[in-house]
Amino acid sequence: MALIVAKFGGTSVASPERIQNVAKRLIAMKNEGNDVVAVVSAMGKTTDELVGLANALNEHPSPREMDMLLSTGEQVSMSLLAMAINARGYRAASFTGWQAGIVTDSTFSSAKIQEVTAERIKAKLADGAIVVVAGFQGLTEDGEITTLGRGGSDTTAVALAWGIDADVCEIYSDVDGVYTADPRVVPRARKLDVISYDDMLELSSAGSGVLQSRAVELARKFGVVIHSRSAFSDAPGTLVKEIDMFMEQAVVTGVAHDTSEIKFTIRDADDVPGVAAQVFSALASGSVNVDMIIQNVGENSHTDISFTCPKGSKEEAEAIVKRIMPRIGGRDYVIDENIAKVSLVGTGMKSSPGIAAKAFSVLAENKVNILMISTSPIRLSIVVEGSQCQVAARCLHEAFGLDSESVFEETALSPEEIAAKMQKGR
Ligand code: ASP
Ligand code: MG
């Protein structure tokens, strides 16, 4: 018997049928003798639709009203799920974020959780009910409704798991765990049984989108064990937890890729103190999230500076670069929109020399041209031309011993098709 927090994403509650499936699953957990708290996202693409509605009426809606609006999505799914559980003869109670005791700061649209006082949840559990909590939302001390940022239900789930001291925080989605690479790009990717918080965080920030990074950070901070698994099958997924430092670990845990960034190069900027400071302070104050930076060795008192940032920040970044060009003496700038970042991630890299050398040799053998390089103690990222993303990811995956014997073939299946396959198999 365990205390389980189980989070279901938008896809898993997208229709009445799917909500039924979630209800069945929760009831099965309950019947096995567990105490169960479900956290749900809004149905399907509801949040996007609500954003669309808001923008149809106001291009710049006030953050407070936006959170009032977006928080309704999760309230629909939480109450429907509780009703579905009731209809099967089991007790259930749904709670909004504030009823669940989730207190946040007052940063609308990306509020941070400050406290979880889950008294009402505990009381309902003691009563024998299955508790359902609306993800993604909380309440400030002044009684304002806030949301936690897109994908924030994962964060709700982890915070609640910590707040009620759950044994595990299960995060159900349409993928069945964390893979050594995205199977759509690297068909020989393998599902990992377990991964450390550090590796998971590096993989997420390097572009692997299974779990929200903030949720993983929170889980690491409080030692909450996450189980990332499929909402459409009973197969165990991937555990995200602290890994014993004495445990034998693979040097490289996974290969991530990210095609969501673009590269700016400022040519022939003055090679004097303060130039980089000016460029990156201006970008920071324009809220452009800069990822990689390269500055070349100066020549004739001039130097090139390159950086990458999200595609979505292109206009903002370009306006800023244009504006400061005269101040830093830059000759011109170029934007490369067709790039991909491929990263090798692994805590084991810390104690293994020669990873970079091996990676670069493999890339050279496969005729992949490297445009930029950046490293952390447990990550090696390279930027390549967009068209070389797959080759780069595949050859690195193979070279570092991550390839599985079998080729992933379910990538073309929709969640419905996977569910249908599962039913047949039973
Ligand atoms: N419904 C919110 C979103 O779509 C929160 C979540 O799904 O976790 O971003
Ligand atoms: Mg979502």
Side-chain angles (χ1 to χ4, degrees):
M1 131 130 206
L3 175 51
I4 301 173
V5 170
K7 181 255 169 178
F8 290 87
T11 323
S12 323
V13 292
S15 64
E17 295 73 39
R18 293 210 188 152
I19 292 179
Q20 291 280 21
N21 282 334
V22 173
K24 278 191 235 167
R25 249 194 127 121
L26 295 171
I27 289 170
M29 287 181 206
K30 176 85 192 150
N31 285 340
E32 279 163 23
N34 304 300
D35 280 335
V36 186
V37 177
V39 173
V40 285
S41 292
M43 292 173 72
K45 298 256 168 275
T46 301
T47 310
D48 291 332
E49 286 159 16
L50 292 171
V51 171
L53 281 175
N55 291 336
L57 296 166
N58 187 333
E59 269 178 51
H60 304 286
S62 95
R64 177 184 184 275
E65 297 311 327
M66 203 60 188
D67 278 6
M68 291 295 266
L69 178 69
L70 296 191
S71 62
T72 62
E74 271 69 14
Q75 292 191 41
V76 172
S77 43
M78 74 172 193
S79 41
L80 291 177
L81 178 56
M83 290 175 200
I85 297 169
N86 288 156
R88 290 175 179 269
Y90 286 79
R91 261 188 291 168
S94 67
F95 290 105
T96 61
W98 75 265
Q99 290 174 319
I102 295 175
V103 182
T104 73
D105 66 10
S106 51
T107 327
F108 292 112
S109 87
S110 56
K112 300 246 176 326
I113 297 180
Q114 291 181 326
E115 209 184 322
V116 181
T117 51
E119 298 316 319
R120 289 175 80 168
I121 293 183
K122 288 183 199 154
K124 276 287 168 199
L125 286 175
D127 242 16
I130 294 174
V131 171
V132 184
V133 178
F136 174 57
Q137 54 175 266
L139 196 78
T140 68
E141 279 184 343
D142 313 334
E144 295 287 0
I145 291 178
T146 51
T147 64
L148 309 180
R150 296 306 303 269
S153 301
D154 287 359
T155 302
T156 304
V158 171
L160 272 181
W162 167 72
I164 60 174
D165 205 12
D167 295 295
V168 62
C169 177
E170 302 196 318
I171 298 196
Y172 291 85
S173 68
D174 46 5
V175 295
D176 53 4
V178 180
Y179 277 74
T180 51
D182 183 337
R184 287 167 301 187
V185 172
V186 183
R188 287 199 182 274
R190 270 188 296 119
K191 189 174 76 189
L192 293 162
D193 294 330
V194 51
I195 184 171
S196 69
Y197 294 118
D198 288 345
D199 282 0
M200 189 66 240
L201 278 172
E202 286 282 357
L203 275 182
S204 303
S205 61
S208 145
V210 186
L211 297 168
Q212 198 209 24
S213 320
R214 243 180 91 190
V216 181
E217 258 168 53
L218 201 65
R220 174 171 65 178
K221 189 163 155 195
F222 295 121
V224 172
V225 176
I226 295 179
H227 186 181
S228 159
R229 55 191 305 188
S230 166
F232 303 102
S233 95
D234 288 331
T238 304
L239 291 177
V240 186
K241 58 180 206 170
E242 199 63 66
I243 292 185
D244 193 319
M245 62 186 284
F246 296 110
M247 213 170 111
E248 195 70 53
Q249 276 186 70
V251 174
V252 173
T253 308
V255 176
H257 76 283
D258 183 353
T259 51
S260 70
E261 294 186 345
I262 52 174
K263 177 166 77 98
F264 277 77
T265 302
I266 299 172
R267 286 201 285 229
D268 284 349
D270 293 339
D271 190 14
V272 293
V275 165
Q278 285 199 58
V279 174
F280 296 105
S281 311
L283 289 165
S285 32
S287 295
V288 175
N289 217 335
V290 172
D291 179 17
M292 285 193 194
I293 298 173
I294 286 192
Q295 179 174 332
N296 286 343
V297 179
E299 228 179 287
N300 310 323
S301 359
H302 285 97
T303 182
D304 291 353
I305 301 176
S306 299
F307 66 88
T308 61
C309 69
K311 278 194 176 125
S313 304
K314 182 186 164 200
E315 277 173 33
E316 185 73 45
E318 186 168 10
I320 292 169
V321 168
K322 259 193 196 146
R323 180 157 48 82
I324 59 168
M325 283 298 267
R327 279 189 261 149
I328 56 170
R331 176 161 55 90
D332 58 6
Y333 65 89
V334 280
I335 305 176
D336 188 350
E337 296 189 52
N338 184 24
I339 58 161
K341 181 173 74 171
V342 177
S343 307
L344 284 176
V345 169
T347 315
M349 282 166 71
K350 261 193 241 174
S351 46
S352 296
I355 302 294
K358 178 168 170 185
F360 299 153
S361 309
V362 170
L363 291 165
E365 278 158 27
N366 286 274
K367 311 224 166 352
V368 175
N369 189 30
I370 301 173
L371 304 177
M372 293 173 102
I373 301 167
S374 94
T375 60
S376 88
I378 66 167
R379 178 182 48 79
L380 170 69
S381 295
I382 53 149
V383 170
V384 299
E385 221 173 79
S387 61
Q388 296 204 295
C389 175
Q390 251 191 11
V391 183
R394 286 185 192 179
C395 71
L396 290 173
H397 195 269
E398 187 191 356
F400 285 92
L402 298 174
D403 270 10
S404 105
E405 292 294 307
S406 59
V407 177
F408 201 87
E409 23 167 9
E410 278 176 21
T411 48
L413 296 184
S414 68
E416 289 89 349
E417 287 167 323
I418 295 173
K421 226 172 125 171
M422 299 286 312
Q423 295 279 299
K424 254 189 254 153
R426 271 195 201 134

